[in-house]
Amino acid sequence: SSEYFVSILTDLLEIVREDPYNHIAQWAVGECYLELGKQDLADSALNKSVEINSKFTAAYTSLAKLKLKYSNNNNGDLDSAVKMAEKACNLTDNKNHGCLNTLAEAYAAKGDFKNAIASINEAIKYQPGHYTDDYNSRLRVYEMKSSK
């Protein structure tokens, strides 16, 4: 619920005030704002996180999700979502299932189902087991849309 994120956000903002270079706290602030539907504040906090630590994959993945959530099928936002997700995947040598899943979502949103299928297949390969059903469902959807 939003009350939960508001209460966490209060604590996180205090941490950021005390240590503005805490990239994890900045990312968490961005995640809370994303959950609360505060697009501009989420974008600002997440970008601050990657400015502080340009190798922090979680922030790139969150930025990609933010772009996807608010894209309204705007190609510039979708291109940005793909770029952010690719950055996260590259930083993890394309072995992090969460980054790969987000990349697959970004490709699918752009209508690039060939790359969405390739990315979700990689995510399936690296996921710990409990994502199998979810990822396989996405794969089937991408394959269906790809064959149209």
Side-chain angles (χ1 to χ4, degrees):
S1 86
S2 64
E3 290 174 15
Y4 171 75
F5 288 103
V6 169
S7 70
I8 291 174
L9 187 57
T10 304
D11 293 338
L12 288 169
L13 289 171
E14 182 60 32
I15 292 168
V16 168
R17 269 192 290 282
E18 291 174 14
D19 181 5
Y21 296 101
N22 183 329
H23 67 281
I24 296 171
Q26 290 283 0
W27 164 76
V29 165
E31 281 287 304
C32 285
Y33 282 135
L34 183 57
E35 288 295 325
L36 294 169
K38 309 270 188 195
Q39 177 184 0
D40 291 341
L41 293 170
D43 188 65
S44 176
L46 294 170
N47 274 299
K48 180 74 173 168
S49 179
V50 296
E51 285 171 22
I52 296 166
N53 182 346
S54 64
K55 296 186 186 309
F56 188 46
T57 58
Y60 288 108
T61 302
S62 295
L63 278 164
K65 289 178 181 179
L66 175 75
K67 298 295 183 188
L68 286 170
K69 183 174 183 175
Y70 292 103
S71 73
N72 295 321
N73 294 318
N74 172 312
N75 280 333
D77 285 342
L78 294 176
D79 288 342
S80 180
V82 168
K83 281 184 194 162
M84 293 294 124
E86 284 176 337
K87 177 80 172 170
C89 288
N90 289 337
L91 287 168
T92 62
D93 295 322
N94 293 305
K95 292 180 180 173
N96 179 289
H97 72 94
C99 298
L100 291 159
N101 175 54
T102 301
L103 182 58
E105 289 179 41
Y107 281 134
K110 285 185 55 91
D112 181 354
F113 294 105
K114 179 183 176 207
N115 281 318
I117 290 167
S119 295
I120 201 68
N121 274 323
E122 287 298 298
I124 289 167
K125 185 164 63 173
Y126 291 109
Q127 58 86 25
H130 55 278
Y131 292 94
T132 303
D133 292 343
D134 181 39
Y135 288 177
N136 280 324
S137 295
R138 289 172 195 244
L139 175 60
R140 285 190 295 280
V141 169
Y142 298 158
E143 288 172 338
M144 255 184 2
K145 291 185 175 188
S146 163
S147 66
K148 288 185 178 181

